[in-house]
Amino acid sequence: MKIIFTRIALTFLFLLTVVSCTKEKKKRILNFPPTNLVTENLIPKPLKIIPTNGGFALDQFTAIYTTKNAAGYEEVAEFLAKKIKAKTDIDIQVNVDEIPGREGVIYINQSDSLELNTPEAYQIYITTDSVILNSNTAEGAFRGIQTLRQLIPEVSTDTLAEYPIWTIPTGKIIDSPNLGYRGSMLDVARHFFSVEDVKKYIDLLAYYKYNVLHLHLTDDQGWRIEIKSWPKLTEIGGSTEVGGESGGFFTQEDYKEIVAYAAEHFITIVPEVDMPGHTNAASVSYPFLNGNGKTPKLYEGTHVGFSTFDTRKDTVYSFINDVVREITEISPGPYFHVGGDESHVTKKNDYIYFMDKVVEIVKQHNKIPIGWDELATANVDSTSVAQYWGSKENAELAVNKGMKIIMSPAKKAYLDMEYDTESKFGLHWAAYIPTDSAYIWSPEAYDGIPLESILGVEAPLWSETISDISEAEYLAFPRAIGYSELSWSTEENRDWENYKVRLANQAPYLERMNVQYYPSPLIDWKKSKNTFEEIKKD
Ligand code: ACM
């Protein structure tokens, strides 16, 4: 009897659900304005968009389903549900039991289609009834859900419905990245940034489909990563920063937390230990490292090029081996950055001897060495990567050695360059880089570096002039958004006039994320509520 009663109750509940969904369906169809997927404010611009001018209703009845037997898909769906909740306040369930008659379903599928020709490629088919996202890997699904997040309007769109609806334009999106390495660098050495700051930066990078965060962990002014076998590096070398503030450092647990958070966002952390120059903080901690018999003082200024390791001492290489070992043990990504820039007080022969040895140490720890473009002057080959920042000759040398190049030309890609003479923070030794200049160049055809040598683009944010995350945001945004398009989208799909409209429409997202972006006067910002200055005062 009890069972029969329960059955009746369940059937009634089921019918109620179907009836209510059917009832709501009429409303959705009636209230859809025409849409155009092509004019949506997507950044980076997808490879191909085919609009069908209808609308998919995201609402409280929507659910997400994923392929269950493919690693990572359910986590990607949970991530999407969390972000939808943050934006719309609706709770979307993932992989709940199918409810017959349910409408508005998002499917995230693993597909072996040959069209999905890179791990990050994805395709989205949006109809009035469903959103189907296909990708080869969870990474591709993750890039695809960033597109979906960007398609959900900031405010609900159907004012006639009894409950809020967010209309997603229908059509098809076919997308994959133009360049495989799309990074930004944060200099936590000149000024230290907390784990929470780094996580916020990761949130923002992920939304624009970046896949690398390079952490500049050591410099003259500070050593920011705990090395258990050499504890004074952080005890002494991490105790201050530019301007004499208190400094700080990541414990290995902190660093692991950053690495794990980045991995959840399909972002690889590239750790950098800059050497043989930029090493004052290390030599203050362990004076044998500099080989000149003097104990240097902690440095809180901003000059460069005055420090060096002793390149001819075995103990220096044992030290470096320990540092590389401890960091690589907690860095699952494929790269280790050895710096190598501006070693002005290291003799040329010593520099080459040193970089050759350090590159070998990194390889022994099964990582691919990356160095600033000066690395190309050592006896390195195609198994190391050069990061082009300043010297075209070095970049050419690297190309001739078969090395892959990360494009970070300071004149175009340095996030710490001032926008113009009015900029509140930044430097201008390479250039002033207004928002348009940051966008209008081709990393695939810059200074004659051939496309086949280019690994990708990285926008470094040096921190001599910025001491907290809001100051970092002022320099990074909006320019970092442009670099995402320069590295993901093809040249045919990049156009300043078109981009600047899409950029203007990022304002509500940046405001919601409490990003203190620079309100470039070149952009007609579509602010959602207050002016930028009002928000800043809050
Ligand atoms: C650099 O800007 N010294 C790489």
Side-chain angles (χ1 to χ4, degrees):
M1 187 62 191
K2 202 171 158 204
I3 292 175
I4 291 174
F5 186 75
T6 312
R7 276 213 184 129
I8 291 170
L10 279 176
T11 311
F12 182 68
L13 202 69
F14 167 68
L15 283 175
L16 203 70
T17 313
V18 171
V19 167
S20 68
C21 283
T22 316
K23 200 169 119 215
E24 303 305 346
K25 180 184 170 193
K26 287 202 189 105
K27 272 201 201 96
R28 289 180 197 152
I29 291 169
L30 278 176
N31 294 329
F32 279 143
T35 66
N36 188 353
L37 194 55
V38 171
T39 54
E40 286 295 308
N41 299 301
L42 296 172
I43 300 179
K45 195 166 186 81
L47 194 58
K48 216 185 254 180
I49 304 177
I50 303 145
T52 52
N53 310 110
F56 169 88
L58 178 79
D59 59 26
Q60 60 194 340
F61 302 109
T62 307
I64 309 175
Y65 293 94
T66 68
T67 306
K68 294 225 181 80
N69 53 1
Y73 277 71
E74 193 155 294
E75 287 81 355
V76 169
E78 294 288 359
F79 183 96
L80 176 60
K82 199 171 82 187
K83 296 301 178 186
I84 291 175
K85 170 78 178 167
K87 189 167 188 176
T88 65
D89 205 32
I90 51 177
D91 289 300
I92 305 257
Q93 289 177 301
V94 175
N95 290 339
V96 282
D97 287 344
E98 282 275 3
I99 297 176
R102 182 192 280 286
E103 300 200 11
V105 179
I106 300 172
Y107 295 100
I108 306 181
N109 293 318
Q110 199 276 332
S111 160
D112 290 330
S113 162
L114 292 178
E115 281 179 40
L116 298 161
N117 55 0
T118 69
E120 293 183 286
Y122 69 90
Q123 298 189 349
I124 309 180
Y125 306 83
I126 306 161
T127 67
T128 51
D129 305 321
S130 66
V131 174
I132 300 174
L133 193 165
N134 287 331
S135 67
N136 203 227
T137 68
E139 188 181 6
F142 188 80
R143 304 301 171 222
I145 65 163
Q146 307 316 315
T147 302
L148 270 183
R149 289 174 66 193
Q150 293 188 12
L151 288 173
I152 300 169
E154 280 291 331
V155 287
S156 56
T157 40
D158 191 329
T159 49
L160 298 178
E162 281 159 22
Y163 53 86
I165 281 174
W166 286 259
T167 306
I168 299 179
T170 59
K172 182 172 175 180
I173 294 175
I174 298 169
D175 203 7
S176 68
N178 191 32
L179 299 173
Y181 182 112
R182 304 178 306 280
S184 182
M185 185 204 83
L186 195 55
D187 170 10
V188 295
R190 268 54 174 274
H191 280 100
F192 183 61
F193 290 84
S194 68
V195 172
E196 289 312 309
D197 291 341
V198 177
K199 284 185 177 176
K200 185 176 179 191
Y201 200 50
I202 288 172
D203 289 339
L204 297 165
L205 295 178
Y207 187 72
Y208 295 105
K209 300 190 176 72
Y210 276 79
N211 62 2
V212 170
L213 175 62
H214 164 186
L215 291 175
H216 183 75
L217 292 166
T218 68
D219 213 303
D220 290 319
Q221 298 86 345
W223 185 285
R224 308 296 180 202
I225 176 80
E226 176 192 21
I227 303 296
K228 291 183 197 284
S229 52
W230 299 88
K232 287 187 198 164
L233 287 170
T234 44
E235 278 167 28
I236 297 173
S239 64
T240 186
E241 61 185 3
V242 168
E245 301 299 324
S246 59
F249 63 91
F250 299 127
T251 62
Q252 292 200 0
E253 289 306 310
D254 290 338
Y255 180 82
K256 283 194 233 169
E257 192 178 326
I258 292 171
V259 166
Y261 192 79
E264 283 166 24
H265 294 72
F266 292 86
I267 285 180
T268 299
I269 297 294
V270 174
E272 178 186 351
V273 172
D274 201 353
M275 47 195 166
H278 291 276
T279 46
N280 185 73
S283 295
V284 177
S285 312
Y286 294 101
F288 79 91
L289 290 167
N290 69 14
N292 65 14
K294 293 188 194 136
T295 301
K297 290 196 172 57
L298 289 164
Y299 183 65
E300 294 159 0
T302 59
H303 290 149
V304 297
F306 60 88
S307 56
T308 185
F309 279 161
D310 183 341
T311 62
R312 302 283 168 173
K313 206 191 260 171
D314 288 347
T315 45
V316 170
Y317 297 102
S318 318
F319 164 85
I320 292 169
N321 187 59
D322 287 339
V323 168
V324 174
R325 174 177 45 76
E326 288 199 31
I327 295 176
T328 54
E329 274 170 7
I330 52 175
S331 300
Y335 302 110
F336 189 99
H337 201 304
V338 296
D341 57 319
E342 297 175 315
S343 293
H344 301 323
V345 294
T346 319
K347 288 196 182 80
K348 193 167 172 45
N349 283 347
D350 292 345
Y351 177 84
I352 293 169
Y353 178 82
F354 179 87
M355 294 315 282
D356 290 354
K357 286 187 80 91
V358 169
V359 157
E360 276 319 305
I361 291 172
V362 168
K363 286 186 191 168
Q364 274 160 21
H365 291 281
N366 298 317
K367 298 291 178 191
I368 300 168
I370 304 178
W372 297 104
D373 59 49
E374 292 93 327
L375 176 64
T377 64
N379 296 310
V380 283
D381 60 21
S382 62
T383 54
S384 296
V385 173
Q387 183 164 8
Y388 173 29
W389 69 279
S391 163
K392 191 176 170 208
E393 293 76 54
N394 288 343
E396 283 166 359
L397 202 55
V399 169
N400 291 336
K401 290 182 171 181
M403 298 169 79
K404 288 275 188 261
I405 313 285
I406 297 167
M407 297 296 292
S408 306
K411 288 190 189 104
K412 284 291 183 185
Y414 264 28
L415 287 168
D416 65 314
M417 289 299 113
E418 292 170 334
Y419 292 93
D420 55 31
T421 54
E422 309 280 299
S423 279
K424 283 194 258 177
F425 308 105
L427 304 166
H428 59 263
W429 57 263
Y432 291 105
I433 309 183
T435 307
D436 54 353
S437 171
Y439 180 86
I440 303 171
W441 62 290
S442 291
E444 309 95 320
Y446 187 83
D447 271 353
I449 296 165
L451 180 57
E452 57 274 18
S453 297
I454 295 172
L455 191 60
V457 178
E458 185 182 293
L461 179 51
W462 300 99
S463 65
E464 285 97 327
T465 66
I466 50 172
S467 57
D468 64 34
I469 187 70
S470 69
E471 293 172 3
E473 287 165 3
Y474 172 93
L475 286 175
F477 294 94
R479 289 179 294 197
I481 301 175
Y483 299 128
S484 85
E485 184 148 304
L486 284 185
S487 52
W488 179 283
S489 309
T490 56
E491 206 166 356
E492 308 85 81
N493 276 337
R494 302 196 305 254
D495 171 67
W496 166 250
E497 293 301 324
N498 179 285
Y499 168 74
K500 79 178 188 193
V501 177
R502 288 178 286 122
L503 179 58
N505 284 284
Q506 302 305 304
Y509 168 70
L510 296 173
E511 286 167 15
R512 185 158 56 79
M513 293 294 288
N514 194 25
V515 174
Q516 304 296 311
Y517 64 96
Y518 164 64
S520 164
L522 301 172
I523 307 299
D524 181 16
W525 296 101
K526 302 292 181 229
K527 297 183 175 85
S528 62
K529 35 185 169 67
N530 312 318
T531 64
F532 179 79
E533 284 310 316
E534 276 165 344
I535 291 168
K536 266 205 91 157
K537 272 188 240 136
D538 286 347

